[in-house]
Structures are given as structure tokens and as C-alpha cells.
């Protein structure tokens, strides 16, 4: 989990923020109110999964690809979402329970075979009566229909192989259609399979019996991978991009039988890639070399092997008309359309003179650092190094390379806007790109930002020689620095006036405010030419994290740990919360950031120094965890213990912390994915507490797949 960064063109709002100018050329942090687990980019829209299992979307919604009318995707309130994928104008969400939802421009259709008077419409051919120069008599209509059907069910595959490189696997697959299979495909060809806007998430019922863990989208097709590695495909298939051995478009998912256990799936505009047991496979459109099978192969209808010089494949990615792969040594390979520098730089003359040079996989040269992940935009490529740095190369239009300009570079280079953070996920489309990175700063710090200007303050700070003063809170200062805590003790309530020189640097009121911004929000807010001064001042004030941040060497945050340690810290405590014999020291300024405690404090006299919570329903351990969450956010909690999660989710609901409830639910749902005992325990628990709707649904799914729950009768038959 990390922070979300976006860059490129955002004319439809796909960057999640407004800006001036043509585009955003460097990665820019986007606040979605939570940390992000996964992100995907479509033609002009973006989807992200938050740490709470929700999906946020922004950008173009003309075709319904945002799946919402408000801020979040609707219809998924009872689901814990884990993965997202975007096509050009459609979106797909996979949940922790293994379900798949689609929205946007999706395939649908009705079987028109019963109406023999109505001509058949297929996505691969126009209706017979619309073809110019063809009469309406039954004989000609039948000829057109039957020739279209033969093309769709791939009767031409054997002939194609006879004039190209022999491929025993494809030849065998093309000849194994039984009469029943051929009849079924002809039936599909006679269906009116078209794309229509679906404005709310639609459950993919054809995957109801499967547990999907990964999804990928091309321009108009979708791949879905199960927990066991089986791959299913749906959508456009005019180039064989579904890998099913025919060209019939599908409005439901069908299994790619040629691959038994895939580990990676990737979808380009009209082609697809799979990795299985370290071997790479490709299928779909290949006229520009994107399949990596050479100049004579224009397409394949089923997965066929692609060789990387004998190396095993770790991962792969597909762009509009190019592909890249990373082998087990971290080396990056490229093949396909190279006109825009997607290939990485070697042999530039081949781009225009002999483009076929790139129709087979070749190492990207000059080589980027060893990679652990890769991603393709339409006409550019990106990779994540083993150290978590982002590199990019290819066509730079709209600032998609994230390098601060629109100058082209076929050579891989670092995206310096993400220096100092570790990139976890990366996504790209035609005109924008996104990354999830472990931002060194604690997200919860943003919630404390209003306290900087919010009174009453109990500490007054100043600089010698300047009569102006800045207000602050003793508890927050004491949490961040032992040195500041000592100054507060010595001042004993009097204003603290710092000398005009600290650490050999001149201290101004503006730099003092920059120190306070870091103390409260864990963020750096100072102009570049003042960073060296601020670093020296920070060291003198006992803030090594701020000093390292100024120098660009800090990759970790101590914010959550420091604020969590403030729970039950007697220093600067102005309130005691009592539970029987237990007493927990607390701090009003931080409690008031939570609605429950703010209402509790308003109800009681402000002069009270102790509040009895005996009737709250809270236990001492849960109260301390709740306070840690209020003070420091989710980073301060350990959500790996199921027994503790049960108690904490109930406590979070009591004090009206919906984000913590959803975090606990998500953690429990992920724990029960393959554990029947845990699923039974979670279902019993969810029956007792109606607010755990997502947990109840996920537990039922696990038990249903195991045959222990009958969803139709809503009753379980647990085995002994």
C-alpha cells in the first residue's frame, strides 16, 4: 500500500485534480483519502483500490466506465475490492471473494438465431443486407453468412499455417474442434454481440464458480486469472485476442484451455500475453510484430510460445502494438512496433528501414537497471527496478514519461519525480500514467494539518528579534522531539523564544513555520534554496527525520510510531479516560479530530479532567487501539491477529470509525480466502453484527465453494 501519483494529460479529469497548462509532466501526489493498493488507467479514466477495499474512479464517464454518480464506484458496498483493470472505455474490478464486476462499454447481446428472417450481426462482419453490392436474395445472404461463420470459427487457420511457419501446437488445436464445439461457435457467430454502456458494476456471472485474483484489459477485451492459474477471456475477439481458437466476440467469459496454470496475464490493444511456468505465450494481432513470432506471423488464435533467448520469464506487459518482458535475471526484452522509441534505443535505423528487426524479442539496449516489474502505455514503456525506482522510455507526448518535459528518449531513464520512494505498482494508458509508491510520509499527518491554525494553542513560539508568535500544541511537539519536550518542561507554560541562529543557520519565522508543518503533517514545505538551512535547524531541534527529508535521504517515517507512543503518555495529557480500574491518559487536541470523542467532550464540562467510559462497551485493549488509530492512523495498528480483529471491529463501530471498520473487515476477508475454519468463524461473527456485510458475504462465498453453504436457501451445512 502507498500513495497515488499521476501524470500526463487530464482533460477529462483522469488525473484526479485540476491543473493549468496542457499537461502534468511529473508525478504528482493525489489524495484519495486513503492509501492505495492498486491502480489502472483507461483511455481517459483512472481507477484505484484503497486500503479499505473501496474503489475510487475519476475521468471520463460518458460510457459509464467510472461506475458511479458520486465519488466512489457504486454497487460494491458489500465487497472488498483488491484489483482493478481498465480498457479504453470499460473497467473491471476483482474482489477478495473472487468475483468480477464490469462496467463501461461492455459486450452484451441476445440470441437471434430463432428469428431466421432477421440477418445475423457479428462484430467481425456487417449484416448481410448492409453489404454494398450484395443482393437480398436468400442464396447470396446464405453465402455471406456462411463465409462469415467459417472465418469466425477459424476454418482458415490450417490454410494460414500451411503458408507460414509450421506450428504443431496451433495446428493441433485448430483441428480439435468437435462437431458440437463447431455448432456452438456458429451459434455464437449468429448472436448479436455488441457493446453498450453499463453504468453500474455488473457481476460477471459466467465466472460465478471461479475465484478470480487478477484481471487485465485490452482495448475491448478482458482476461481474468483464477487462484489456481486458469485463465478466462471475454470481449472483442476479431484478432483472436481471447486465445480461444476462433474469432467470435463473447459477452461472457470462456476458459483458455491451452494454458493450465498461468502466473501473469497481460492485455494489449488487440493482443494478449501469458506467463506459465516461466514460459511466455502470445496470441491475437501480430501484424506489427507484437507477438514476437517474426515477420511472417500476422496473428494467432491460441497461445503460442515466445522465446527470450532461452531465459525464463518473470513478468510481461503489452502496449498498443508492442510488448515487453522481464526475465528471471531482471533483463528487459522488447518486440513489436518501435517507431516511437518503445524499443529502448538500440539500432534506431531499424525503426524506419527494417521494422521487422523488432518482430522478435530483443534485449532493451542500453539496458535499464535490473527490473522486477514492467508496464506499457500505448506508445511508451516503463519498468520498476529491483530497488523500486521507476524508469521510462518511448514517445513523450503529454508528459507521459514523467520526466518533467516532453522530449523524446528511446533510452530508459529514471523518473526523478519519484526519487526517495519505492514504486509498488505502475499503470499506463495512451495519454497518462500512474504509480503507487510507498510515500515516506505518513498519510494520517494530513488530517492533523488543520490543527496548525486551529486554537486554542497551549504553546507560543517565536524567534529572537521578531515580535510575532506562532501557536502550537505541547502534546504534538512533545511527541515528535525529545529536545522540544525538554524545552517545554523548562518553559513551564511561558512562551518559547528560539535564538536567531540554530545549528549555524539563521532561523526565521518562515522556517519555524516549516518546522511546525513537518511536526504536524510529516511533510516538507520549504523552498529548495532554504533546505540546507532547514536541515541544520532541524538537527538542532532534535528532528533528524526532517533533516534527512531536506537532504533527500529519508525513506521512512517515524510519525505513526511517535504519535502511537503518545497514547497514555502523562506528559501534556489534559484528560484521563477511565474504564473500571484502568486509566488511560489522553489529549483533547487529538481526540477532537474524531467525531465520537469530539461529541463526548462537548457533552462533558470542559473543566473535567476525567471521563468514565464504563458504559461505552469498550474494553481497555480496544480503547488503546482506538486511540492509536485516532492519534496515528492505521499504520500504528497490527491487523494480522484474527481474534484481535473481531474485538477491534466491534469497538470501531461503537465509536463511529467507519474507516477502521472497513480496514478490519478487509483484513479478515483476506485471511479467510483459503481457510474454511476461519470462514466459519467469520460467518458466525458476521451474523451477530449486521454492519459486517462484506465479511458475511465473503465468508459465505468461501463456504459455498466448499459445498458448506447453500446460497439459494441461505442455510449452511457445516461438516463435522
Amino acid at each position: 500500500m502507498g500513495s497515488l501519483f499521476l501524470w500526463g494529460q487530464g482533460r477529462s479529469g483522469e488525473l484526479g485534480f485540476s491543473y493549468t497548462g496542457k499537461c502534468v509532466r511529473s508525478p504528482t501526489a493525489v489524495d484519495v483519502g486513503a492509501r492505495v493498493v492498486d491502480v489502472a488507467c483507461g483511455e481517459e479514466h483512472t481507477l484505484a483500490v484503497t486500503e479499505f477495499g473501496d474503489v475510487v474512479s475519476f475521468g471520463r464517464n460518458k460510457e459509464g466506465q467510472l461506475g458511479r454518480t458520486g465519488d466512489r464506484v457504486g454497487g460494491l458496498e458489500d465487497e472488498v475490492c483488491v484489483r482493478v483493470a481498465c480498457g479504453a472505455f470499460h473497467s473491471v474490478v476483482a474482489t477478495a471473494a473472487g468475483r468480477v464486476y464490469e462496467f463501461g462499454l461492455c459486450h452484451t447481446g441476445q440470441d437471434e438465431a430463432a428469428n431466421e428472417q432477421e440477418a445475423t450481426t457479428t462484430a467481425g462482419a456487417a449484416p448481410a443486407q448492409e453489404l454494398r453490392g450484395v443482393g437480398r436474395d436468400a442464396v447470396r445472404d446464405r453465402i455471406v453468412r456462411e463465409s462469415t461463420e467459417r472465418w469466425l470459427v477459424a476454418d482458415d487457420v490450417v490454410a494460414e499455417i500451411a503458408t507460414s511457419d509450421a506450428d504443431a501446437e496451433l495446428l493441433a488445436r485448430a483441428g480439435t474442434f468437435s462437431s458440437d464445439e463447431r455448432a456452438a461457435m456458429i451459434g455464437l457467430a449468429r448472436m448479436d454481440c455488441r457493446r453498450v454502456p453499463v453504468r453500474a458494476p455488473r457481476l460477471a456471472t459466467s465466472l460465478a464458480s471461479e475465484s478470480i485474483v487478477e484481471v487485465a484489459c485490452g482495448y475491448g477485451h478482458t482476461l481474468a486469472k483464477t487462484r489456481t492459474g486458469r485463465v478466462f477471456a471475454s470481449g472483442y475477439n476479431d484478432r483472436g485476442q481471447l486465445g480461444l481458437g476462433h474469432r467470435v466476440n463473447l459477452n461472457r467469459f470462456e476458459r483458455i484451455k491451452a494454458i493450465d496454470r498461468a502466473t501473469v496475464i497481460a492485455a494489449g490493444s488487440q493482443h494478449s500475453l501469458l506467463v506459465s511456468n516461466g514460459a511466455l505465450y502470445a496470441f491475437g494481432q501480430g501484424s506489427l510484430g507484437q507477438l514476437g513470432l517474426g515477420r511472417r506471423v500476422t496473428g494467432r488464435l491460441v497461445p503460442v510460445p515466445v522465446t527470450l533467448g532461452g531465459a525464463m520469464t518473470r513478468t510481461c506487459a503489452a502496449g498498443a502494438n508492442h510488448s515487453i518482458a522481464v526475465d528471471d535475471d531482471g533483463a528487459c526484452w522488447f518486440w513489436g512496433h518501435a517507431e516511437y522509441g518503445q524499443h529502448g534505443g538500440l539500432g534506431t535505423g531499424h525503426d524506419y528501414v527494417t521494422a521487422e528487426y523488432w518482430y522478435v524479442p530483443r534485449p532493451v539496449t542500453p539496458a535499464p537497471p535490473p527490473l522486477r516489474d514492467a508496464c506499457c502505455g500505448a506508445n511508451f514503456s516503463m519498468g520498476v527496478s529491483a530497488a523500486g525506482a521507476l524508469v521510462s522510455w518511448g514517445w513523450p507526448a503529454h508528459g507521459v514519461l514523467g520526466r518533467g518535459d516532453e522530449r523524446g528518449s528511446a533510452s530508459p531513464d529514471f523518473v526523478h519525480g519519484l526519487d526517495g520512494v519505492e514504486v509498488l505498482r505502475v499503470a499506463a494508458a495512451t495519454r497518462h500514467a500512474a504509480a503507487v509508491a510507498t510515500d515516506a510520509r505518513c498519510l494520517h499527518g494530513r488530517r492533523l494539518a488543520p490543527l496548525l491554525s486551529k486554537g486554542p494553542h497551549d504553546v507560543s513560539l517565536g524567534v529572537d528579534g521578531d515580535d510575532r508568535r506562532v501557536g502550537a500544541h505541547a502534546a504534538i511537539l512533545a511527541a515528535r522531539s525529545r529536545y522540544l519536550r525538554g524545552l517545554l518542561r523548562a518553559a513551564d507554560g511561558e512562551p518559547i523564544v528560539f535564538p536567531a541562529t540554530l545549528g549555524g543557520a539563521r532561523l526565521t519565522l518562515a522556517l519555524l513555520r516549516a518546522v511546525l508543518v513537518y511536526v504536524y503533517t510529516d511533510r516538507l514545505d520549504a523552498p529548495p534554496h532554504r533546505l540546507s538551512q532547514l536541515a541544520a535547524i532541524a538537527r538542532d531541534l532534535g528532528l533528524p527525520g526532517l533533516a534527512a527529508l531536506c537532504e533527500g535521504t529519508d525513506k521512512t517515517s517515524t510519525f505513526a510510531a511517535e504519535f502511537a507512543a503518545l497514547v497514555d503518555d502523562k506528559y501534556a495529557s489534559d484528560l484521563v479516560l477511565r474504564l473500571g480500574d484502568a486509566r488511560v491518559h489522553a489529549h483533547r487536541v487529538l481526540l477532537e479530530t474524531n467525531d465520537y470523542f469530539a461529541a463526548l467532550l462537548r457533552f462533558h464540562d470542559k473543566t473535567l479532567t476525567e471521563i468514565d467510559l464504563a458504559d461505552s462497551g469498550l474494553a481497555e485493549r480496544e480503547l488503546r487501539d482506538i486511540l492509536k488509530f485516532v492519534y496515528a492512523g492505521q499504520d500504528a495498528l497490527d491487523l494480522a491477529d484474527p481474534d484481535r480483529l473481531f474485538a477491534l471491529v466491534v469497538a470501531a463501530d461503537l465509536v463511529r470509525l467507519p474507516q477502521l471498520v472497513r480496514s478490519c473487515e478487509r483484513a479478515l476477508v483476506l485471511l479467510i480466502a483459503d481457510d474454511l475454519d476461519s470462514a466459519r468463524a467469520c460467518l458466525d461473527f458476521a451474523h451477530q453484527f449486521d454492519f459486517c456485510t462484506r465479511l458475511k458475504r465473503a465468508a459465505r462465498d468461501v463456504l459455498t465453494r466448499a459445498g458448506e453453504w447453500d446460497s439459494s436457501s441461505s442455510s449452511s451445512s457445516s461438516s463435522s
Side-chain angles (χ1 to χ4, degrees), residues 424-448:
L424 303 175
R425 305 279 294 185
V426 63
T430 302
R431 290 181 288 271
H432 75 294
V436 178
T438 55
D439 190 352
R441 315 279 42 93
C442 178
L443 184 64
H444 189 74
R446 299 177 188 175
R447 296 184 56 196
L448 302 186

Side-chain angles (χ1 to χ4, degrees), residues 20 60 108 143 164 204 229 232 246 262 308 402 417 578 580 593 596 689 704:
T20 57
R60 176 187 174 104
T108 186
I143 292 173
S164 65
F232 293 78
H246 57 72
L308 300 182
R578 190 173 74 248
T593 62
Y596 172 83
F689 302 98
T704 297

Side-chain angles (χ1 to χ4, degrees), residues 174-257:
T176 57
F177 292 130
S178 67
S179 58
D180 289 341
E181 287 176 320
R182 288 180 55 79
M185 283 190 287
I186 290 175
L188 288 171
R190 292 179 176 176
M191 291 179 66
D192 181 8
C193 187
R194 65 184 68 183
R195 296 212 295 175
V196 299
V198 176
R199 304 195 175 276
R202 179 184 73 182
L203 180 65
T205 55
S206 54
L207 294 173
S209 61
E210 305 294 337
S211 180
I212 302 301
V213 296
E214 194 73 46
V215 286
C217 291
Y219 178 88
H221 73 288
T222 303
L223 304 179
K225 181 174 75 71
T226 71
R227 195 175 303 277
T228 59
R230 302 204 309 171
V231 181
F232 293 78
S234 173
Y236 275 145
N237 194 30
D238 52 320
R239 302 299 176 183
Q241 56 263 52
L242 300 190
L244 301 172
H246 57 72
R247 299 185 181 95
V248 181
N249 293 345
L250 295 178
N251 60 10
R252 67 174 187 271
F253 284 88
E254 285 194 3
R255 184 187 166 199
I256 301 177
K257 297 178 181 179

Side-chain angles (χ1 to χ4, degrees), residues 125 131 140-156 247:
L131 292 175
R140 291 187 178 181
D141 284 352
R142 188 188 65 192
I143 292 173
V144 171
R145 183 178 68 249
E146 290 180 354
S147 63
T148 300
E149 290 169 356
R150 284 196 298 272
W151 184 81
L152 289 170
V153 302
D155 273 352
D156 62 322
R247 299 185 181 95

Side-chain angles (χ1 to χ4, degrees), residues 17-317:
F17 58 90
S18 58
Y19 62 94
T20 57
K22 293 193 305 180
C23 57
V24 176
R25 298 179 177 89
S26 296
T28 303
V30 180
D31 186 2
V32 296
R35 292 178 300 179
V36 172
V37 176
D38 194 24
V39 65
C41 298
E43 187 71 13
E44 292 183 5
H45 71 291
T46 306
L47 264 63
V49 181
T50 73
E51 60 186 317
F52 307 122
D54 301 320
V55 176
V56 294
S57 60
F58 29 85
R60 176 187 174 104
N61 197 32
K62 183 177 180 180
E63 294 79 17
Q65 56 265 57
L66 300 189
R68 63 171 172 85
T69 55
D71 292 336
R72 299 183 183 275
V73 175
L76 299 176
E77 293 80 6
D78 292 342
E79 296 282 9
V80 174
C81 303
V82 292
R83 288 286 179 263
V84 287
C86 293
F89 303 106
H90 76 289
S91 305
V92 179
V93 175
T95 72
R99 276 186 287 269
V100 169
Y101 290 86
E102 305 169 287
F103 43 97
L105 209 53
C106 299
H107 280 87
T108 186
Q110 294 179 331
D111 192 349
E112 297 180 345
N115 186 357
E116 296 182 0
Q117 301 302 317
E118 188 171 349
T120 300
T121 301
T122 67
Q129 64 265 34
E130 295 179 2
L131 292 175
R132 294 180 181 273
V134 177
R136 297 180 58 86
D137 62 272
V139 174
R140 291 187 178 181
D141 284 352
R142 188 188 65 192
I143 292 173
V144 171
R145 183 178 68 249
E146 290 180 354
S147 63
T148 300
E149 290 169 356
R150 284 196 298 272
W151 184 81
L152 289 170
V153 302
D155 273 352
D156 62 322
V157 170
V158 175
E160 175 188 334
I161 294 174
T163 60
S164 65
D165 295 337
D167 190 320
E169 181 179 355
L170 183 59
L171 184 60
R173 183 68 185 93
T176 57
F177 292 130
S178 67
S179 58
D180 289 341
E181 287 176 320
R182 288 180 55 79
M185 283 190 287
I186 290 175
L188 288 171
R190 292 179 176 176
M191 291 179 66
D192 181 8
C193 187
R194 65 184 68 183
R195 296 212 295 175
V196 299
V198 176
R199 304 195 175 276
R202 179 184 73 182
L203 180 65
T205 55
S206 54
L207 294 173
S209 61
E210 305 294 337
S211 180
I212 302 301
V213 296
E214 194 73 46
V215 286
C217 291
Y219 178 88
H221 73 288
T222 303
L223 304 179
K225 181 174 75 71
T226 71
R227 195 175 303 277
T228 59
R230 302 204 309 171
V231 181
F232 293 78
S234 173
Y236 275 145
N237 194 30
D238 52 320
R239 302 299 176 183
Q241 56 263 52
L242 300 190
L244 301 172
H246 57 72
R247 299 185 181 95
V248 181
N249 293 345
L250 295 178
N251 60 10
R252 67 174 187 271
F253 284 88
E254 285 194 3
R255 184 187 166 199
I256 301 177
K257 297 178 181 179
I259 300 295
D260 291 327
R261 186 177 294 272
T263 54
V264 180
I265 57 175
S269 181
Q270 292 180 302
H271 73 291
S272 305
L273 305 174
L274 303 175
V275 177
S276 177
N277 297 319
L280 179 64
Y281 296 85
F283 47 98
Q285 171 71 285
S287 59
L288 292 174
Q290 56 265 59
L291 298 187
L293 300 174
R295 58 178 295 187
R296 298 177 65 185
V297 177
T298 60
R300 284 293 182 258
L301 304 184
V302 296
V304 293
V306 181
T307 60
L308 300 182
M312 301 291 282
T313 305
R314 176 186 300 169
T315 190
C316 60

Side-chain angles (χ1 to χ4, degrees), residues 205-554:
T205 55
S206 54
L207 294 173
S209 61
E210 305 294 337
S211 180
I212 302 301
V213 296
E214 194 73 46
V215 286
C217 291
Y219 178 88
H221 73 288
T222 303
L223 304 179
K225 181 174 75 71
T226 71
R227 195 175 303 277
T228 59
R230 302 204 309 171
V231 181
F232 293 78
S234 173
Y236 275 145
N237 194 30
D238 52 320
R239 302 299 176 183
Q241 56 263 52
L242 300 190
L244 301 172
H246 57 72
R247 299 185 181 95
V248 181
N249 293 345
L250 295 178
N251 60 10
R252 67 174 187 271
F253 284 88
E254 285 194 3
R255 184 187 166 199
I256 301 177
K257 297 178 181 179
I259 300 295
D260 291 327
R261 186 177 294 272
T263 54
V264 180
I265 57 175
S269 181
Q270 292 180 302
H271 73 291
S272 305
L273 305 174
L274 303 175
V275 177
S276 177
N277 297 319
L280 179 64
Y281 296 85
F283 47 98
Q285 171 71 285
S287 59
L288 292 174
Q290 56 265 59
L291 298 187
L293 300 174
R295 58 178 295 187
R296 298 177 65 185
V297 177
T298 60
R300 284 293 182 258
L301 304 184
V302 296
V304 293
V306 181
T307 60
L308 300 182
M312 301 291 282
T313 305
R314 176 186 300 169
T315 190
C316 60
N321 294 298
H322 75 285
S323 306
I324 59 177
V326 177
D327 66 26
D328 275 349
D329 294 326
C332 187
W333 297 71
F334 168 89
W335 60 97
H337 188 220
E339 182 179 350
Y340 300 109
Q342 308 98 306
H343 59 306
L346 175 66
T348 304
H350 289 292
D351 304 352
Y352 306 102
V353 181
T354 56
E356 293 87 353
Y357 178 83
W358 301 106
Y359 282 19
V360 295
R362 300 184 185 275
V364 172
T365 307
L371 302 181
R372 70 183 187 201
D373 199 6
C375 174
C376 291
N379 296 309
F380 61 100
S381 308
M382 296 191 290
V384 180
S385 74
L390 183 65
V391 294
S392 64
W393 63 95
W395 190 246
H398 316 292
V400 292
L401 299 186
R403 301 182 189 172
D405 55 38
E406 294 187 45
R407 289 179 292 181
S409 174
S411 299
D413 199 2
F414 289 100
V415 178
H416 292 295
L418 292 173
D419 286 350
V421 300
E422 180 185 0
V423 175
L424 303 175
R425 305 279 294 185
V426 63
T430 302
R431 290 181 288 271
H432 75 294
V436 178
T438 55
D439 190 352
R441 315 279 42 93
C442 178
L443 184 64
H444 189 74
R446 299 177 188 175
R447 296 184 56 196
L448 302 186
L451 298 180
L452 271 170
S453 56
K454 178 182 178 182
H457 299 110
D458 54 4
V459 178
S460 180
L461 306 175
V463 179
D464 190 23
D466 192 328
D467 294 335
R468 294 173 296 174
R469 296 291 181 263
V470 179
H473 302 88
I476 295 176
L477 295 177
R480 299 306 310 269
S481 166
R482 291 181 178 272
Y483 177 80
L484 292 178
R485 180 178 291 220
L487 285 182
L488 291 167
R489 288 184 186 275
D492 195 23
E494 294 297 318
I496 297 177
V497 180
F498 294 100
T501 301
L502 278 178
R506 181 170 177 267
L507 177 64
T508 65
L509 199 66
L511 287 175
L512 180 58
R513 288 195 178 101
V515 169
L516 291 178
V517 168
Y518 168 78
V519 167
Y520 277 72
T521 69
D522 211 33
R523 302 277 156 176
L524 179 62
D525 184 20
H529 66 283
R530 297 296 185 193
L531 292 182
S532 59
Q533 286 178 265
L534 185 58
I537 293 167
R539 287 196 186 89
D540 219 40
L541 294 178
L543 295 167
L546 175 57
L549 193 60
C550 292
E551 294 165 348
T553 60
D554 183 37

